[in-house]
Amino acid sequence: ASISRFVESAAAYAKQSGRDAAIREFNNLNGTFTKGDRFIFAYGMDGTMLAQPFQPELLGTNRANVTDINGVMHIRRMIELAGEGGGWFYYVTSNPDHNNELKLTYVQPVDSTWFIGSGDYLSEIPAVFTPAEKDQLVERVKQARTYAQANGAAKAIRDFNDRNGTFATGSSYIFAYAYNGTTLAMPFQPESIGTDRTDYADTHGVKVAAWEIAAAKGGGGFVYVDYYNPDTGKPGMKLCYVLPVDDTWLVGSGIYTDRM
């Protein structure tokens, strides 16, 4: 929660001081908003970087289509959240003190033209997946989509939910959501079927279904969620891949970080 308060105080500062003065202050390595590895970054709503005290060489560049090391379109997610008034998400980035780490990040708009954010590194959570693991994940979701398109929604959803079927193999299970937020397939949490998860948030406040739906509407992609792992019986950080089946629903699957 302290991150959101930090961002809120920076937004108040920006509104009081004006955009130019605030951006100067946010870019100042010795400024009031740079404290160890915690700092404020700023972007225009089009994805142009306005402030990042540790990466001045990127200022003024448009990063709307940039992904993190796992292929997550984190800048696009920031823009979406800022346009909705703000919110939480994860991405992997280089910690000024260390190497690539997962970062829990909060963004909020200053006004309709730009937004700011900050985050905390979740150093204890491994965040690196091999290309082979990601390829297998994408292939698994593509096969599920092909199956859904060939067999129709009703049969596909029934089969995705069948724990004795080929789609519900432990932590590699296939899930499905309608674009209105309704849970369609969740084989290890049948009680969630039919519930609206538009506002459902994980343990860190990240709206996981909303992010997956946004990614699917954009043509598909990777997202991070902290979610129940049927192999361990408890929540785990997960890299998910989702694809649209048609313009009403999506299928997805994931790889957990605690898979070792």
Side-chain angles (χ1 to χ4, degrees), residues 20-33:
D20 294 348
I23 287 171
R24 253 194 324 274
E25 183 65 14
F26 298 154
N27 277 314
N28 180 1
L29 269 175
N30 302 309
T32 48
F33 292 98

Side-chain angles (χ1 to χ4, degrees), residues 177 200-202 206-213 223-227:
Y177 286 108
Y200 171 80
D202 71 11
V206 176
K207 290 188 178 180
V208 298
W211 190 358
E212 289 165 347
I213 291 164
V223 310
Y224 300 104
V225 305
D226 191 19
Y227 202 79

Side-chain angles (χ1 to χ4, degrees), residues 134-199:
K134 285 184 284 193
D135 288 347
Q136 284 174 333
L137 170 60
V138 169
E139 192 52 41
R140 190 158 75 231
V141 178
K142 283 182 175 173
Q143 287 173 355
R145 175 169 75 170
T146 300
Y147 186 85
Q149 289 172 338
N151 291 279
K155 177 172 169 48
I157 289 164
R158 199 162 55 241
D159 291 343
F160 295 155
N161 280 317
D162 177 4
R163 281 201 211 179
N164 299 315
T166 52
F167 293 104
T169 48
S171 63
S172 302
Y173 70 89
I174 296 293
F175 60 81
Y177 286 108
Y179 284 176
N180 65 4
T182 304
T183 312
L184 302 175
M186 201 64 73
F188 296 97
Q189 293 177 304
E191 69 282 358
S192 71
I193 306 295
T195 64
D196 182 354
R197 286 197 153 176
T198 308
D199 293 318

